[in-house]
Each structure stands twice: as structure tokens, then as C-alpha cells.
Amino acid sequence: QFLYFIGPNPASTMMRRSASLLKPFDVVVVGGGPGGYVAAIKAAQLGLNTACIESRGALGGTCLNVGCIPSKALLHGTHLYHDAHTSFAKWGIQGGEKVTMDVPKLMQQKDKAVKGLTSGIEFLFKKNGVKYYKGTGALAGNGTTVEVKGNDGKNETLESKNVVIATGSEPTPLPFLPFDEKKVMSSTGALAMNKVPKHLVVIGGGVIGLEMGSVWGRLGSKVTVVEFMPKCSPFLDGEASDALISALKKNEKMVVKTSTKVVAGTVEGDNVKLELEARDGGKKETLDCDALLVSVGRRPYTKGLLDKVSVKMNKQGFVEIDDHFATSVKNVYAIGDVVNKGPMLAHKAEDEGIAVAEMLAGKAGHVNYDAIPGVIYTMPEVAWVGKTEEELKEAGVKYSVGRFKFVANSRAKAVDTTDGFVKVLTDKATDKILGMHIVNAQAGELIAEGVLAMEYGASSEDVGRTCHAHPTLSEAIKEACMACFDKPIHS
């Protein structure tokens, strides 16, 4: 009714503004990372009055700002450099071994990519009508009141019918070596070094550790990876892990110490001194480096978010949700790295963001957690979806295995990227694909075929009898599937 008070009267203007402020949002999303910004955009597209709160001042979360995107930029740039030094000559390209790297320029190109993508999301917010608040959010009242502390110093209180928590995660530090992002670094610091370290030690041989170790190793650093488990990236299929580490040792001279734990460490001037011990408590040694990357995992980030509202969390600090992303508090939902479901991956969070927005709009949202791919963007890359052979053995599932090596693939042979293989795991009785694992320079792109096959419940025969273009790397998937239900042609 306040809309009838029109004209230049200041009181009427104030009343109109008050009316708009009293109108609650349909959805307020706390966190503007891959899960949060996607949830906000999809909710707005479905007609919901939507707001998103992000404290970083740039949308995209860890992934776009200090994770997936900048790391891929550095991996690409350093691969070009390394390729020039190691591979150009065999193609008749002379002088590659004299190519030099301007690290600040490399960082500028990385930052350009990041800025372009983050500003692009802000444009999408405007295009779709998402109200964007730059600041930190804290749940209050019954959970659907959100107190916003603006980065500009202004405080606001938002009322909403529903709230989606999408605050993501942060790197886990060592208790005896806190991050300073100069000598003792998380992935954030390792993405922003302005010079090549002489010796980079990486604690944790997972995705982040191997990727960032690869970046700086290609530029000349001695890289030593210290991994507590018997294998690096123990979540990988065993054959895939072995193939990757073998390639990194051979091609990039990476040193890997498995079944080893770091028991102490100190920063001494320009160096970091680490005390190592065998996992079983045996052999001890000291390791010195001028740069240390700690990549032992990530933990959910909820600082200041839930101090006034009792949302149930597990012992590790993850927000507990049900199959509809609902938390223990009515009308409060959660997605992404902060929840106790699924892998901590950007694309998983994005799918959850779409699904929760659809549910809030009265539609049916769904995420298939059995068909979420993973990728390590080293050279070669490793990509996977579904079960590993070790998991199937442990579960007592009877399965068949089909393998095909890229050394027998015509496209791989032609462009000399023959490292790796495709491995397909199927149910022995039904031939349904249970898992696919790829080691190859283009594994991250190739794995989509396996994900699609699993999403639709395909058998290896379905894929093996599908025509694939020749010559392509994807033919290796066809042949590996043929090896499951029959026999491959080129092996």
C-alpha cells in the first residue's frame, strides 16, 4: 500500500524503502563459491527473490580465486615451458632448451584469468537479478535471519524464507607449523610465489600437493613429496596411482617419500627444517627446504556463521544434511565442501546448488553421488569416476576388468602422449559399468564419457558398440570397454 505515496515528499520515499526492506527474500545464500553462486543464479532463474553474501569481495570462492582456476593456469603455463625444454627438439623445433620463464609475467596471466571469471559471475548476478552483498553472514533468530557485516563497514539484517549455507572449506594447517604463506604455505601461498624455490617440500601427496609440486618442479625446483600413506593419492585406483607417480618421477624428477610422517618442524631464517619419521616409527631423518607446501587436506569453514543458531555438525565440523540438503534447523539448507556428503569438489557443489534451488522452487532436484568425476591435472592427468578395483574387492563385488593402453592408440601415438591407460570396471553378472579410471594427457576431458555412461546405467557393451571417431584418444575407452565384454581389436 505504500506504493500509493508518490511524489517528492521525503517521508513517502522513506516509507517505500521501508516496505522493500520488510519484504523477505525467498532464498539467502551464504557463500559465493561454486555451490553458492550457482544456487543463487538457479534460484533467481526459477523466480525466487534471491540474495547471496560473499566476504571475499570477489565471487567464485576458493575454486576461482585461489584454487582450481589459478592452479590450472600455472599448470598450463609451466607445461608449455617444460615441453619446450624436453619435447620441442624431437618435432624439429629448435631452441626450446633456451626458453626462459618470467615468473611475474606468469602470475599476471594467472590473475587475468581469475579476474575475468570472477567479474563474469558478478555480471551473471546482475543479469539474473541476484542481490549481492559483499560481507560476512551470520545466522540468527530461527535460522532464517542473516546478519550481514559489510566489507564497507555497514551492517544489515536480512530476513528470508530459506537460507542455504555454502561457506566452503579452508586448508588444514599442521599444529606445529602454522601458515605464514611465505615459507610455510597452503595452496594459496604456493599459487603466488614470485620466484622459483630451490627446494620445495610438499607434505601430502594428494591432488593439490602433486599439482603444485608439478608446477614448481617444471620450473627447476627440487620437489620432495612426503606422504603418510603407502601410496600418494590413496583414493585413486592403485594402478592409476602407480602410473601417475612413475610418470612424475621419470618426467619431472619428483622425489616421493611414502609411509612417512612429519613429526616436527621449525622456520629458521630463510629455511624450514623438518623432522621425518617412518610411518611405523622406524627410520628418522631431517629435511631442509626454502619453501614448504602443507596440503594435508581441507576442513569446513563456518567461522562466526553458526554462533547463534544450533545447526548440527559432526565431529569434524561438517554440517550434517539429509537427502534434501536440509540441516537440523527448519528452512536452513547446506551444500558444498561444508557438508558431510560427497567429495569436496567444485563441480559436486555446483550440482548440489542447482538441486537445492530446484527443490526450494518446488521442483525435483537430484545429485548422483556415485557418478561424480575427479581429476588430477598433472602431466599425465588422472581422471576417475565410480569405484576403484580395491573398493570392489573390499565390498566383495564380483567384477570384470577391461584395460587399454594408450601406447596402442593411434592418436596418442601420432602426438606422442602414450603414457597411461583406460581401465573399466563392470559388474560381472550384468556388465553395468561400476568405475572408469584414465591416465593420459587429456584424461580430464575424456572422463566425461564414463560419467555419462554411469549416469544412464550403461554397460561396457553399450559403450564398446558405440562408434567413436578415428583417430581420437576416446577410442581407448571404446577398446577398454570391448575388453570387458569381449576382446579389444588393437591390443
Side-chain angles (χ1 to χ4, degrees):
Q1 65 188 40
F2 295 124
L3 295 177
Y4 291 103
F5 293 89
I6 60 175
N9 188 328
S12 67
T13 302
M14 185 183 303
M15 294 177 81
R16 288 199 306 276
R17 288 176 180 171
S18 297
S20 65
L21 290 173
L22 288 171
K23 181 181 179 182
F25 287 100
D26 293 315
V27 185
V28 170
V29 182
V30 186
Y37 86 74
V38 169
I41 290 173
K42 176 51 70 174
Q45 288 175 344
L46 293 171
L48 301 179
N49 183 22
T50 307
C52 183
I53 305 164
E54 170 55 50
S55 63
R56 195 184 298 270
L59 293 163
T62 294
C63 178
L64 264 68
N65 289 277
V66 289
C68 322
I69 301 306
S71 63
K72 301 303 113 36
L74 296 186
L75 282 160
H76 178 69
T78 56
H79 170 65
L80 295 176
Y81 172 85
H82 188 261
D83 213 28
H85 278 260
T86 60
S87 300
F88 275 19
K90 66 186 175 188
W91 295 102
I93 305 172
Q94 302 301 316
E97 68 280 356
K98 298 179 183 178
V99 168
T100 60
M101 174 59 76
D102 182 338
V103 174
K105 190 72 174 178
L106 173 67
M107 294 298 166
Q108 287 176 19
Q109 179 62 26
K110 172 206 70 174
D111 294 341
K112 179 181 177 182
V114 170
K115 184 173 177 56
L117 288 169
T118 55
S119 61
I121 299 171
E122 193 162 345
F123 166 76
L124 290 174
F125 270 19
K126 293 177 181 177
K127 176 183 176 183
N128 290 283
V130 176
K131 178 68 174 175
Y132 176 27
Y133 291 88
K134 295 183 180 181
T136 58
L139 274 58
N142 62 3
T144 56
T145 297
V146 184
E147 298 172 347
V148 182
K149 290 185 178 180
N151 293 348
D152 59 1
K154 297 179 181 178
N155 297 334
E156 297 186 60
T157 298
L158 310 181
E159 297 293 340
S160 182
K161 297 175 184 176
N162 303 283
V163 169
V164 177
I165 298 169
T167 47
S169 62
E170 64 179 354
T172 303
L174 294 175
F176 49 82
L177 269 180
F179 296 124
D180 60 22
E181 301 300 0
K182 294 178 181 179
K183 291 296 176 185
V184 182
M185 295 171 288
S186 68
S187 53
T188 301
L191 287 164
M193 286 193 282
N194 57 13
K195 65 178 182 179
V196 180
K198 294 177 182 177
H199 185 195
L200 171 66
V201 171
V202 178
I203 303 177
V207 177
I208 295 169
L210 294 179
E211 287 185 356
M212 296 314 302
S214 189
V215 163
W216 295 106
R218 292 169 184 173
L219 297 182
S221 290
K222 176 184 177 183
V223 176
T224 303
V225 177
V226 181
E227 169 58 48
F228 178 75
M229 300 297 286
K231 286 180 181 286
C232 284
S233 299
F235 47 83
L236 290 178
D237 184 271
E239 287 184 65
S241 176
D242 290 344
L244 172 61
I245 297 306
S246 177
L248 292 177
K249 288 179 177 179
K250 179 183 73 173
N251 300 332
E252 299 177 11
K253 313 304 179 190
M254 190 177 283
V255 177
V256 178
K257 295 177 179 289
T258 53
S259 297
T260 303
K261 58 184 176 180
V262 180
V263 294
T266 55
V267 178
E268 300 180 1
D270 291 333
N271 292 314
V272 181
K273 185 179 292 291
L274 300 171
E275 294 180 24
L276 310 184
E277 187 178 286
R279 181 182 175 183
D280 59 6
K283 180 183 175 184
K284 297 182 179 181
E285 63 177 305
T286 300
L287 199 59
D288 292 332
C289 61
D290 58 329
L292 175 67
L293 167 59
V294 178
S295 56
V296 294
R298 297 181 65 84
R299 61 189 182 187
Y301 183 80
T302 56
K303 183 179 179 181
L305 176 69
L306 304 173
D307 294 348
K308 299 179 181 179
V309 177
S310 298
V311 172
K312 188 177 180 181
M313 295 184 283
N314 65 16
K315 292 180 180 179
Q316 291 75 40
F318 290 94
V319 175
E320 294 191 0
I321 58 172
D322 65 14
D323 291 339
H324 301 285
F325 311 104
T327 70
S328 60
V329 175
K330 186 179 180 181
N331 297 324
V332 176
Y333 303 82
I335 60 172
D337 283 8
V338 78
V339 304
N340 64 329
K341 183 173 290 190
M344 298 172 81
L345 295 171
H347 44 279
K348 170 266 202 180
E350 289 178 346
D351 280 7
E352 289 178 330
I354 291 173
V356 74
E358 289 174 334
M359 288 180 180
L360 293 176
K363 299 179 180 293
H366 174 69
V367 176
N368 180 1
Y369 291 98
D370 291 327
I372 295 175
V375 186
I376 302 178
Y377 295 88
T378 46
M379 184 56 68
E381 296 177 352
V382 179
W384 65 96
V385 63
K387 301 296 185 183
T388 66
E389 186 169 2
E390 290 78 8
E391 287 172 336
L392 293 178
K393 283 181 179 178
E394 186 176 347
V397 175
K398 294 182 179 180
Y399 63 93
S400 298
V401 183
R403 299 179 182 84
F404 190 83
K405 294 183 178 180
F406 280 99
V407 72
N409 174 268
S410 55
R411 180 70 182 276
K413 201 74 171 176
V415 300
D416 197 30
T417 56
T418 55
D419 280 345
F421 55 84
V422 177
K423 178 178 179 179
V424 177
L425 300 162
T426 63
D427 184 281
K428 198 170 187 67
T430 67
D431 192 38
K432 181 180 179 180
I433 296 174
L434 302 176
M436 184 178 293
H437 307 272
I438 306 175
V439 181
N440 179 261
Q442 298 294 324
E445 301 294 337
L446 291 168
I447 196 62
E449 181 173 4
V451 179
L452 187 62
M454 288 190 64
E455 183 66 33
Y456 282 87
S459 66
S460 70
E461 186 171 0
D462 289 330
V463 177
R465 291 190 181 277
T466 299
C467 187
H468 290 61
H470 174 80
T472 61
L473 298 173
S474 68
E475 289 177 286
I477 296 175
K478 176 186 175 81
E479 297 257 17
C481 285
M482 291 174 70
C484 277
F485 74 90
D486 190 13
K487 290 183 180 180
I489 299 298
H490 297 96
S491 178

